Amino acid sequence: MPLWTYRGLKGGIKTAPWPIAALTTIPGLPEPTVESCPPGCEQCAKSCPTSAITVDQQLTLDQGACVGCNLCIEVCPSSVLVAPPRLARAVENRDDLRRRGGVEPGQPRLHPKGDARRLRKSLFVRHVDAGSCNGCESEIGALDNIYYNLHRFGIFFTPSPRFADVLLVTGPVTNPMYEPLLATYEAMPKPNYVVATGVCAISGGTNGGGDHARQGLHGLLPVDLWVPGCPPHPAVIIDALLGLMGRER
């Protein structure tokens, strides 16, 4: 028996059981704990590099624009903002990513369009990098390693849009990638699904806007799922795709 085979068998199963219990100890994106800040205090909003925080009559933090830098937590003098030990999950409605104080996030439920039964056994994903910094690509690449082992769920990446059920988009959509992205979407069989993955694909993040890029997929494609994070944790992506298949998340 080759030595590497012996070491592999001796090491045992490395794939993490699903759901992954260790994820409950990872700090998630910031969330407000009260409805409003002390009068006149807007330090968190001023410190946010992506303008994800608004302080009007109510403090609102948009996790679809939050890059998780935690500067808002550091400058807050009243500990209004905290990073709870739970990862932000994908949602169907863009507005559900806007967190308000005193409101606990609900259990997101996804409702796949079309005949969901055809997705229950397998799902083929076409990934398009529309100008990402490659942070999201690093996490997506981890999905196929032995720890996350995406294939055990019947989910596979495909190089051709002709065989894809899901269009997984990262990046703010730069000008050179605008036409290829639309061509990929049009080449997919219907019904198909679009997943905006990461802050850049949702709202442009720190890389969107200007003369060379859009502000994410809003208004460009009909998005079925919004996956927050900069970049999203691999488990959050798996959770979103399982929800799209109508399986337990």
Side-chain angles (χ1 to χ4, degrees), residues 75-161:
V75 301
C76 181
S78 306
S79 300
V80 169
L81 290 160
V82 298
R86 60 169 175 247
L87 295 172
R89 304 176 72 182
V91 297
E92 276 189 325
N93 300 316
R94 174 71 178 86
D95 284 343
D96 289 342
L97 291 177
R98 296 183 172 90
R99 296 281 188 259
R100 296 172 178 84
V103 180
E104 284 292 319
Q107 182 76 4
R109 295 183 62 83
L110 308 183
H111 302 87
K113 60 188 178 185
D115 186 4
R117 291 176 297 179
R118 71 183 182 90
L119 301 178
R120 292 193 65 84
K121 292 186 177 180
S122 65
L123 190 73
F124 285 84
V125 181
R126 176 71 173 99
H127 170 227
V128 172
D129 178 355
S132 170
C133 67
N134 287 336
C136 291
E137 279 62 38
S138 176
E139 302 303 300
I140 291 173
L143 295 176
D144 283 338
N145 65 26
I146 59 173
Y147 184 77
Y148 295 107
N149 191 13
L150 186 67
H151 294 176
R152 61 177 154 156
F153 302 111
I155 304 174
F156 307 91
F157 286 95
T158 174
S160 171

Side-chain angles (χ1 to χ4, degrees), residues 33-237:
T33 56
V34 298
E35 294 183 0
S36 59
C37 296
C41 181
E42 297 182 354
Q43 293 189 41
C44 56
K46 293 178 180 177
S47 68
C48 183
T50 56
S51 302
I53 301 174
T54 56
V55 184
D56 295 323
Q57 295 181 349
Q58 189 176 30
L59 174 65
T60 303
L61 189 149
D62 183 4
Q63 293 187 335
C66 177
V67 295
C69 64
N70 288 342
L71 286 175
C72 55
I73 296 177
E74 295 179 9
V75 301
C76 181
S78 306
S79 300
V80 169
L81 290 160
V82 298
R86 60 169 175 247
L87 295 172
R89 304 176 72 182
V91 297
E92 276 189 325
N93 300 316
R94 174 71 178 86
D95 284 343
D96 289 342
L97 291 177
R98 296 183 172 90
R99 296 281 188 259
R100 296 172 178 84
V103 180
E104 284 292 319
Q107 182 76 4
R109 295 183 62 83
L110 308 183
H111 302 87
K113 60 188 178 185
D115 186 4
R117 291 176 297 179
R118 71 183 182 90
L119 301 178
R120 292 193 65 84
K121 292 186 177 180
S122 65
L123 190 73
F124 285 84
V125 181
R126 176 71 173 99
H127 170 227
V128 172
D129 178 355
S132 170
C133 67
N134 287 336
C136 291
E137 279 62 38
S138 176
E139 302 303 300
I140 291 173
L143 295 176
D144 283 338
N145 65 26
I146 59 173
Y147 184 77
Y148 295 107
N149 191 13
L150 186 67
H151 294 176
R152 61 177 154 156
F153 302 111
I155 304 174
F156 307 91
F157 286 95
T158 174
S160 171
R162 300 290 185 188
F163 305 106
D165 303 300
V166 177
L167 178 60
L168 189 77
V169 184
T170 56
V173 188
T174 57
N175 290 344
M177 286 304 299
Y178 176 68
E179 292 295 339
L181 176 64
L182 296 186
T184 302
Y185 176 76
E186 292 299 329
M188 296 174 64
K190 306 296 185 294
N192 54 2
Y193 305 89
V194 179
V195 178
T197 307
V199 167
C200 289
I202 296 176
S203 62
T206 57
N207 303 319
D211 297 331
H212 304 288
R214 270 71 171 179
Q215 294 280 13
L217 294 183
H218 182 70
L220 298 182
L221 293 176
V223 177
D224 297 280
L225 273 185
W226 307 90
V227 185
C230 184
H233 194 282
V236 175
I237 301 174

